[in-house]
C-alpha cells in the first residue's frame, strides 16, 4: 500500500486498532427514570393493585393527553385497557379528534376486547397516516396479540386510511403476530407506506417469511394500480430472522427497490443471508443507512457486501460492528470505501477481529473522506493523522487478537467447508509462511524523536480474568468447555455483590446464536448453582443488588445502571427455570418485571418471555 495522502505511511506499524466510526442504534433511547423503591426482606405490594391504580388514574392521564399537529398521543400513560369499558375514554378522544393523522399508543397495554372497540373508532379516521404502536401489549399473552392486531388492521382498512408509517416495535408477538397484520400490509392502506418498524418482535424465520410475502404482495397490488409501494425505512432488529428469514426479506427488498434505510441488527444472520441481502441492496440505489450490527458475516459475507457497497453512491452510515468481518473482510471493505461511497459519514467495524494491517488499510481508505468518522482513536496513529485533520478515525481493537491461520480454521468450521477445501487452504497458508508480508516493515514513528516506537506485543490468549474485565462473546467461547467451572471458581460466591457483578458480565454477552447462548447459560448455571447452594449465601441481598444494577430499584449508593437489559433478562429467564433457583424469589422478581420501566420496555421480547416463565414458576 502506498503512502498516498500520508507521506511515510509505508513505515507505519500501528498497535492493534479497531476501525470504529461511532456505534449507532436507530431505536429510541431507553429511560431509567421509572424506578421502584423496595427493601428486602419484605413483601411487595400486590401486583394486581397496580392495575386498579392505573385505571383509577385514567381520567387524569387523559387530561394530559398530547394533541398537536394532527397527532393524538397516549404515549407512556401505562393504561391497562382490557375491556370496552376500560377504553371508553380513549375511544371518545379518538372520535372527537378531527383530522387525526397520527395516533400514539406506545407504553400502554391493549387487550383483545379493547382493541376491537378502538378499531371501531378508527373506521371513520380516513386521514390517519402514522400509527406509533410500539410496546402496546406489555404483559399480554402471545395468543392475545394476533387478534388485537387483526382488529386494528381491519379498522384502518375500513377507514380507507393511507399509512406512511407503521411502528409495531417492542411487541413480543412472534411469528403468529405477523399473521395479525398480514392483511393490513397487503391492503390498499399500506400501498403508500414509507416506514415499517418491527424492531424486537421475535418474528423468527416463519414471521420473516410471512412478512416478506406480504410486502411482495403489497408491491404487486399497488403496482397494478400504477403506484408501486415505495418503502423507504425498514427496521427489524432482534427478531431471530436467521438466514432463511433474511433471504426471504432480501427477495422482497429486491422487488421494492426504493429502500433508504435498513436496520436488521442481532438477527443471527450468517454469510448466506448476508450475501442475499447484499444482492438486494445493490438493487436499492437510494440506500443511505445500512445497519446489520451483531450478525455473522465472515469473509464470504463481507466480500459480497463490499462488492455491493462499491455500487452504492448515497450511503452515509454503515454499521457492521460485531459482525465477525475479520481481516480479509475488512480489506474488502476498505477497497469499497476507496473506490466509492462519496457520502460516507459513519463506518462501524468494531469487534470484528480485524488485525493491524487490515485496520490500517481501512484507515487509509477513509483518509480522503472529509467527514468526522469516529472517536477514541489510537493515540500514536492519531498524531500522525493530526496534520490531515483526521485525528478521530481509529479506536482500540480490544477483541482483535489471534493469528490469521486461526481465523481461517474458524471460518472453515463455521461455514462447513469440506475436507478438500480445508487441505487447499492449509497448503496456501504453508506456502505463504515463507513469504515476507508486504506490510511487515511498517513502524509507528515516535512523534518527538522521529525514531520507530517499540512494537507492542500481541495480546495474550483470553483467560477468566480477561473475560470478566472486558467481557465479549468471543472471549467466552475461547475459554473453552471449562469456562463455567473457571468463572464460578474465580468468583467469591459468599459475596452477593460479586456474584451480581459476575452474573451481569456473563449475561451481557448473551446472543441468540446457539453457541454463545449455550455458553452463557452454562456459565450462569455453574455460578448461580454454587451461590444458591451455599447456606451462607443471602439470596434476598443478591436479588436486591441485581435489581439495583439493572436500574429497577433505587439505592442509596450511586450506582450506574447497565445500559442494555436484554442479556440479563434472557439469562434470568433461563435461571428461574432451574432447580437451584429459590422459588420464593419468583414473586419478588415478578413484581419488578411487571412495573412500567423504560429500560424494560426497550427489551419487551425478553421481558415478555421472563414474565411468562415467572407466571409458571
Amino acid at each position: 500500500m502506498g503512502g498516498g495522502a500520508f507521506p511515510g505511511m509505508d513505515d507505519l506499524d500501528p498497535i492493534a486498532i479497531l476501525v470504529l466510526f461511532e456505534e449507532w442504534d436507530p431505536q429510541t433511547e431507553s429511560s431509567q427514570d421509572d424506578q421502584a423503591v423496595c427493601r428486602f426482606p419484605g413483601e411487595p405490594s400486590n401486583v394486581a393493585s397496580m392495575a386498579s391504580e392505573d385505571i383509577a388514574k385514567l381520567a387524569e392521564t387523559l387530561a394530559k393527553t398530547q394533541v398537536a399537529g394532527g397527532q393524538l398521543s397516549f404515549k407512556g400513560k401505562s393504561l391497562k385497557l382490557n375491556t370496552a369499558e376500560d377504553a371508553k375514554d380513549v375511544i371518545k378522544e379518538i372520535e372527537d379528534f378531527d383530522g387525526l393523522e397520527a395516533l400514539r399508543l406506545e407504553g400502554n397495554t391493549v387487550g383483545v376486547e379493547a382493541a376491537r372497540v378502538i378499531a371501531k373508532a378508527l373506521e371513520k379516521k380516513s386521514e390517519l397516516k402514522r400509527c406509533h404502536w410500539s410496546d402496546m401489549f406489555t404483559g399480554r399473552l402471545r395468543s392475545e396479540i394476533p387478534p388485537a392486531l387483526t382488529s386494528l388492521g381491519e379498522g384502518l382498512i375500513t377507514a380507507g386510511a393511507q399509512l406512511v408509517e407503521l411502528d409495531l416495535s417492542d411487541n413480543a408477538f412472534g411469528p403468529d403476530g405477523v399473521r395479525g397484520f398480514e392483511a393490513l400490509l397487503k391492503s390498499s392502506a399500506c400501498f403508500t407506506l414509507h416506514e415499517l418498524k418491527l424492531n424486537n418482535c421475535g418474528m423468527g424465520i416463519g414471521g420473516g417469511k410471512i412478512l416478506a410475502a406480504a410486502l411482495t404482495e403489497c408491491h404487486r397490488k399497488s403496482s397494478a394500480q400504477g403506484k408501486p409501494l415505495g418503502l423507504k425505512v425498514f427496521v427489524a432488529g432482534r427478531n431471530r430472522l436467521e438466514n432463511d428469514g433474511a433471504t426471504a426479506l432480501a427477495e422482497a427488498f429486491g422487488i421494492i427497490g426504493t429502500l433508504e434505510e435498513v436496520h436488521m441488527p442481532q438477527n443471527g444472520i450468517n454469510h448466506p443471508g448476508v450475501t442475499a441481502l447484499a444482492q438486494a441492496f445493490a438493487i436499492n440505489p437510494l440506500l443511505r443507512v445500512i445497519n446489520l450490527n451483531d450478525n455473522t458475516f465472515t469473509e464470504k459475507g463481507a466480500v459480497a457486501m463490499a462488492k455491493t457497497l462499491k455500487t452504492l453512491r448515497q450511503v452515509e452510515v454503515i454499521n457492521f460492528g460485531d459482525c465477525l468481518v475479520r481481516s480479509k473482510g475488512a480489506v474488502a471493505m476498505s477497497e469499497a470505501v476507496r473506490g466509492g461511497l462519496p457520502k460516507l459519514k459513519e463506518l462501524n467495524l468494531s469487534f470484528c477481529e480485524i488485525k493491524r494491517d487490515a485496520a490500517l488499510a481501512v484507515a487509509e481508505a477513509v483518509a480522503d473522506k472529509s467527514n468526522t468518522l469516529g472517536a477514541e482513536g489510537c493515540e500514536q496513529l492519531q498524531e500522525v493523522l493530526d496534520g490531515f485533520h483526521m485525528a478521530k478515525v481509529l479506536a482500540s481493537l480490544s477483541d482483535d487478537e489471534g493469528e490469521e491461520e486461526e481465523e481461517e480454521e474458524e471460518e472453515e468450521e463455521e461455514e462447513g467447508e469440506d475436507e478438500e477445501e480445508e487441505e487447499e487452504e492449509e497448503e496456501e497458508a504453508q506456502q505463504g509462511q515463507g513469504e515476507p508480508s508486504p506490510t511487515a516493515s511498517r513502524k509507528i514513528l515516535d512523534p518527538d524523536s522521529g525514531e520507530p516506537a517499540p512494537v507492542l506485543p500481541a495480546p495474550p490468549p483470553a483467560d477468566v480474568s480477561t473475560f470478566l474485565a472486558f467481557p465479549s462473546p468471543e472471549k467466552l467461547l475461547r475459554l473453552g468447555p471449562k469456562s463455567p467451572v473457571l468463572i464460578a471458581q474465580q468468583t467469591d460466591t459468599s459475596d452477593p455483590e460479586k456474584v451480581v457483578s459476575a452474573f451481569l458480565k456473563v449475561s451481557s454477552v448473551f446472543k441468540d446464536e446457539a453457541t454463545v447462548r449455550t455458553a452463557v447459560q452454562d456459565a450462569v448455571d455453574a455460578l448461580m448453582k454454587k451461590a444458591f447452594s451455599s447456606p451462607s449465601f443471602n439470596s434476598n441481598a443478591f436479588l436486591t443488588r441485581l435489581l439495583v444494577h439493572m436500574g429497577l430499584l433505587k439505592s442509596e449508593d450511586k450506582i450506574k445502571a447497565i445500559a442494555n437489559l436484554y442479556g440479563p433478562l434472557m439469562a434470568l429467564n433461563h435461571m428461574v427455570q432451574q432447580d437451584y433457583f429459590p422459588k420464593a424469589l419468583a414473586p419478588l422478581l415478578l413484581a419488578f418485571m411487571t412495573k412500567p420501566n423504560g429500560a424494560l420496555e426497550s427489551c419487551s421480547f425478553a421481558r415478555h418471555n421472563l414474565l411468562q416463565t415467572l407466571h409458571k414458576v
Side-chain angles (χ1 to χ4, degrees):
M1 216 171 339
F6 299 98
M9 284 290 274
D10 285 330
D11 295 327
L12 296 178
D13 184 10
I15 61 173
I17 49 178
L18 167 64
V19 182
L20 169 62
F21 307 107
E22 187 175 353
E23 190 80 14
W24 190 71
D25 185 344
Q27 301 311 310
T28 55
E29 296 179 359
S30 61
S31 171
Q32 302 272 347
D33 293 337
D34 300 314
Q35 296 177 318
V37 181
C38 182
R39 294 290 182 267
F40 289 104
E43 293 295 327
S45 59
N46 189 287
V47 177
S49 68
M50 301 174 190
S52 60
E53 290 173 4
D54 288 337
I55 298 300
K57 294 179 181 178
L58 181 60
E60 178 183 349
T61 56
L62 285 174
K64 299 178 181 178
T65 299
Q66 301 171 10
V67 179
Q71 172 176 286
L72 176 61
S73 177
F74 300 95
K75 180 179 180 180
K77 302 300 181 183
S78 299
L79 304 177
K80 272 205 166 187
L81 308 178
N82 297 317
T83 66
E85 179 66 20
D86 295 338
K88 66 178 184 180
D89 293 312
V90 174
I91 293 168
K92 187 177 187 305
E93 290 285 329
I94 293 173
E95 290 176 339
D96 292 347
F97 196 107
D98 293 329
L100 180 63
E101 295 184 4
L103 178 61
R104 308 195 76 105
L105 294 174
E106 312 103 306
N108 300 289
T109 178
V110 181
V112 175
E113 184 181 339
R116 189 178 300 119
V117 293
I118 291 173
K120 196 69 178 175
L122 292 177
E123 289 181 358
K124 298 179 181 179
K125 300 299 176 181
S126 60
E127 297 178 9
L128 187 60
K129 294 180 174 62
R130 299 182 183 275
C131 297
H132 301 280
W133 294 349
S134 64
D135 191 22
M136 202 173 71
F137 301 106
T138 300
R140 298 289 169 184
L141 295 175
R142 188 169 292 181
S143 59
E144 294 182 81
I145 302 177
L149 288 173
T150 298
S151 295
L152 293 168
E154 289 172 350
L156 296 173
I157 295 170
T158 301
Q162 298 286 290
L163 297 183
V164 295
E165 180 178 1
L166 176 61
D167 186 357
L168 293 172
S169 297
D170 299 320
N171 290 310
F173 46 61
D176 292 340
V178 185
R179 293 284 188 198
F181 60 93
E182 178 185 14
L184 173 63
L185 283 180
K186 293 179 178 180
S187 74
S188 59
C190 286
F191 287 179
T192 51
L193 195 63
H194 288 169
E195 300 182 31
L196 179 59
K197 300 175 181 178
L198 301 167
N199 199 63
N200 194 30
C201 293
M203 291 189 291
I205 295 173
K209 290 182 176 180
I210 297 169
L211 176 61
L215 289 173
T216 301
E217 180 68 4
C218 180
H219 186 273
R220 185 191 68 79
K221 293 169 71 174
S222 60
S223 297
Q225 294 190 8
K227 296 181 179 179
L229 171 66
L231 189 65
K232 296 180 180 180
V233 177
F234 180 83
V235 180
R238 283 187 181 172
N239 271 290
R240 300 177 296 169
L241 295 170
E242 301 183 14
N243 289 331
D244 290 347
T247 299
L249 285 168
E251 293 176 3
F253 295 164
I255 292 170
I256 294 170
T258 56
L259 289 168
E260 296 180 11
E261 297 186 24
V262 175
H263 305 278
M264 297 173 65
Q266 294 186 336
N267 270 297
I269 306 171
N270 298 325
H271 73 82
V274 172
T275 300
L277 288 171
Q279 294 169 348
F281 292 164
I283 315 173
N284 286 264
L286 300 178
L287 271 172
R288 295 184 296 103
V289 178
I290 304 174
N291 178 8
L292 296 178
N293 187 281
D294 200 6
N295 290 291
T296 307
F297 282 39
T298 66
E299 178 189 348
K300 287 186 177 180
V303 169
M305 189 62 70
K307 182 179 179 181
T308 286
L309 290 177
K310 289 181 180 179
T311 69
L312 299 176
R313 310 298 296 174
Q314 303 301 319
V315 174
E316 299 177 4
V317 176
I318 298 172
N319 187 344
F320 296 158
D322 202 12
C323 282
L324 208 64
V325 167
R326 291 180 168 156
S327 295
K328 292 181 181 178
V331 170
M333 294 287 178
S334 73
E335 293 171 355
V337 172
R338 189 185 298 278
L341 300 173
K343 297 185 178 181
L344 185 65
K345 294 179 180 178
E346 298 180 28
L347 172 61
N348 182 355
L349 295 178
S350 59
F351 305 103
C352 282
E353 295 193 1
I354 301 172
K355 301 298 176 294
R356 304 171 182 178
D357 292 335
L360 184 58
V362 180
E364 289 179 325
V366 300
D368 58 350
K369 305 293 181 184
S370 59
N371 307 304
T372 302
L373 297 173
E376 298 183 11
C378 168
E379 182 177 352
Q380 290 176 311
L381 190 53
Q382 279 182 350
E383 292 184 18
V384 175
L385 301 180
D386 256 337
F388 302 92
H389 308 289
M390 296 297 292
K392 295 184 178 180
V393 171
L394 303 172
S396 170
L397 259 184
S398 62
D399 270 10
D400 299 344
E401 50 196 51
E403 299 298 324
E404 295 286 353
E405 289 81 358
E406 291 176 4
E407 281 189 6
E408 293 174 1
E409 290 172 4
E410 288 173 9
E411 286 185 5
E412 287 161 6
E413 292 174 4
E414 291 163 1
E415 299 166 10
E417 299 288 345
D418 58 36
E419 292 182 3
E420 183 178 351
E421 290 175 329
E422 290 179 7
E423 291 171 359
E424 289 176 359
E425 291 190 13
E426 287 173 4
E427 290 174 3
E428 291 174 3
Q430 290 172 358
Q431 292 172 0
Q433 286 175 356
E435 298 174 6
S437 169
T439 55
S441 62
R442 290 181 176 164
K443 303 290 182 184
I444 295 183
L445 299 183
D446 186 298
D448 298 320
S449 65
E451 295 296 323
V455 178
L456 298 182
D463 56 27
V464 176
S465 299
T466 303
F467 167 74
L468 291 175
F470 303 101
S472 75
E474 292 76 18
K475 288 195 182 90
L476 180 60
L477 294 177
R478 284 201 295 270
L479 288 174
K482 293 184 178 180
S483 60
V485 176
L486 295 173
I487 292 171
Q489 290 176 343
Q490 185 82 4
T491 306
D492 179 4
T493 51
S494 65
D495 185 340
E497 181 70 24
K498 291 180 180 178
V499 175
V500 167
S501 177
F503 174 84
L504 290 175
K505 287 178 178 179
V506 170
S507 62
S508 71
V509 306
F510 182 94
K511 295 172 69 173
D512 289 321
E513 186 179 317
T515 53
V516 177
R517 180 176 65 245
T518 300
V520 169
Q521 291 175 348
D522 289 348
V524 166
D525 285 342
L527 173 67
M528 300 313 305
K529 185 176 182 179
K530 179 184 176 184
F532 286 131
S533 299
S534 172
S536 61
F537 185 68
N538 190 330
S539 299
N540 280 339
F542 164 78
L543 186 55
T544 302
R545 301 308 297 169
L546 179 61
L547 292 169
V548 168
H549 283 276
M550 292 176 70
L552 307 180
L553 178 64
K554 286 183 179 179
S555 169
E556 295 177 359
D557 302 326
K558 293 184 178 180
I559 295 176
K560 184 178 180 181
I562 58 176
N564 189 345
L565 295 182
Y566 182 75
L569 290 174
M570 295 299 283
L572 279 171
N573 185 54
H574 170 78
M575 183 177 75
V576 299
Q577 299 177 61
Q578 308 310 309
D579 292 338
Y580 61 74
F581 178 74
K583 299 302 185 276
L585 295 182
L588 304 179
L589 187 56
L590 178 62
F592 284 94
M593 290 301 111
T594 307
K595 287 188 67 66
N597 182 279
L600 288 176
E601 289 161 8
S602 67
C603 301
S604 63
F605 173 74
R607 178 194 197 184
H608 182 79
N609 281 353
L610 179 55
L611 283 172
Q612 285 190 316
T613 302
L614 287 170
H615 280 296
K616 297 175 184 177
V617 171

